[in-house]
């Protein structure tokens, strides 16, 4: 039996679930816990924290699965970081950081029936995820599900994030958008990360950004003012539509009512986290 979901229901649900997952990487607790196992550089901590499920991988594997980071930046930290802390050490530190971060951001909601319900719904959705051609998701799918509801919800959010993310990379490749063109065009939609954050976190220079803008202009996807053209906006929408199509199964598993309920719960937890200072004020492309 095929479940029909309302238009864009998949991405509307994924968005707050994904952003809740990402709160840990902006938290002071993450840096503290990774420093506790010897990883003190913020870039090294992020690469190790997100890649550890794949094992002691090198820069190539991370560049391939993270997509929009400069390989040269990654290579400064991987595989050397594994000489300081093993993947198992990093995963344990990350989970401790998640525990502390979510408790700080959500307060007494950590023990609520609503969070337990969100965890149950999100985990049920992951039952329909697939490993093939999804390396970052597949690696995380082999990790055990934590017992505590707030950790189980974050774990499920991680699985749903990486499942969609792996599919999104295929959509970007199909659209002919290289790593930096993908970021530049996303930022131009007004829903991405600010250029300052991209350059600081992903290892690119302003000249790299400018060159990507020029390539997009040559394809007729951006205008002289740096805005997306009609063709550029259509291409970005097709990328998201293509991603939705490849990411439908987990949400179809829940059915329309289940997706609506998970979206409602996820938005509530995300709003509470954001109000508690989960994200930097200047993170977004537009205020």
């Amino acid at each position: 039996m095929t479940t029909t979901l309302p238009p864009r229901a998949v991405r509307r649900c994924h968005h707050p679930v994904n952003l809740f997952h990402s709160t840990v990487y902006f938290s002071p607790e993450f840096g503290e816990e990774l420093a506790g196992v010897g990883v003190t550089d913020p870039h090294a901590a992020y690469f190790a924290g997100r890649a550890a499920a794949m094992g002691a991988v090198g820069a190539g594997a991370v560049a391939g699965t993270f997509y929009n980071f400069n390989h040269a930046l990654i290579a400064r930290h991987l595989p050397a970081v594994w000489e300081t802390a093993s993947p198992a050490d990093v995963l344990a530190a990350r989970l401790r950081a998640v525990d502390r971060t979510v408790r700080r951001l959500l307060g007494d909601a950590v023990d609520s029936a609503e969070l337990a319900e969100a965890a149950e719904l999100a985990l049920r959705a992951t039952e329909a995820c697939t490993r093939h051609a999804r390396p970052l998701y597949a690696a995380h799918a082999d990790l055990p599900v934590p017992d505590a509801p707030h950790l189980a919800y974050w774990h499920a959010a991680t699985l749903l994030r990486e499942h969609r993310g792996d599919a999104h990379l295929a959509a970007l490749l199909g659209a002919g958008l290289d790593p930096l063109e993908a970021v530049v065009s996303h930022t131009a939609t007004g829903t991405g990360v600010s250029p300052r954050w991209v350059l600081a976190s992903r290892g690119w220079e302003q000249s790299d950004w400018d060159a990507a803008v020029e390539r997009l202009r040559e394809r007729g996807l951006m205008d002289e003012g740096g805005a997306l053209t009609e063709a550029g906006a259509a291409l970005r929408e097709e990328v998201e539509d293509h991603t939705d199509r490849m990411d439908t199964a987990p949400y179809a598993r829940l059915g329309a009512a289940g997706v609506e309920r998970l979206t409602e719960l996820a938005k509530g937890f995300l709003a509470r986290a954001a109000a508690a200072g989960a994200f930097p004020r200047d993170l977004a492309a537009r205020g």
Side-chain angles (χ1 to χ4, degrees), residues 53 91 94-95 123 131 138-148 151-152 154-156 158-159:
L91 287 171
R94 184 179 72 166
L95 194 60
L123 286 170
R131 286 180 170 85
H140 281 87
D142 285 343
L143 300 179
V145 179
D147 292 328
L151 297 180
W154 188 87
H155 174 77
T158 302
L159 297 182

Side-chain angles (χ1 to χ4, degrees), residues 8 11 164 168 171-172 174-175 177 231-246:
R8 300 193 181 182
R11 79 178 76 163
R164 182 180 180 87
H168 189 61
L172 291 171
L177 294 171
L235 183 65
R236 284 300 325 188
E237 184 57 31
E238 173 52 30
V239 165
E240 296 303 327
D241 286 344
H242 191 183
T243 305
D244 283 346
R245 292 192 293 271
M246 291 187 286

Side-chain angles (χ1 to χ4, degrees), residues 44 57-59 74-85:
V57 293
I74 304 168
R76 291 177 206 159
H77 305 288
L78 296 179
V81 71
W82 308 122
E83 298 175 10
T84 300

Side-chain angles (χ1 to χ4, degrees), residues 162-247:
E162 303 300 7
H163 188 267
R164 182 180 180 87
D166 288 336
H168 189 61
L169 303 194
L172 291 171
L173 285 172
L177 294 171
D178 70 26
L180 199 46
E181 292 167 1
V183 178
V184 170
S185 60
H186 186 214
T187 296
T189 68
T191 60
V193 177
S194 71
R196 187 185 75 81
W197 270 93
V198 171
L199 297 179
S201 65
R202 286 159 171 75
W204 302 104
E205 302 292 338
Q206 184 64 50
S207 58
D208 299 315
W209 182 278
D210 294 342
V213 168
E214 185 58 32
R215 292 194 299 274
L216 292 170
R217 285 174 178 161
E218 290 174 355
R219 291 176 61 185
L221 302 176
M222 293 191 81
D223 62 25
E224 292 301 316
L228 291 176
T229 62
E230 184 176 340
L235 183 65
R236 284 300 325 188
E237 184 57 31
E238 173 52 30
V239 165
E240 296 303 327
D241 286 344
H242 191 183
T243 305
D244 283 346
R245 292 192 293 271
M246 291 187 286
D247 192 39

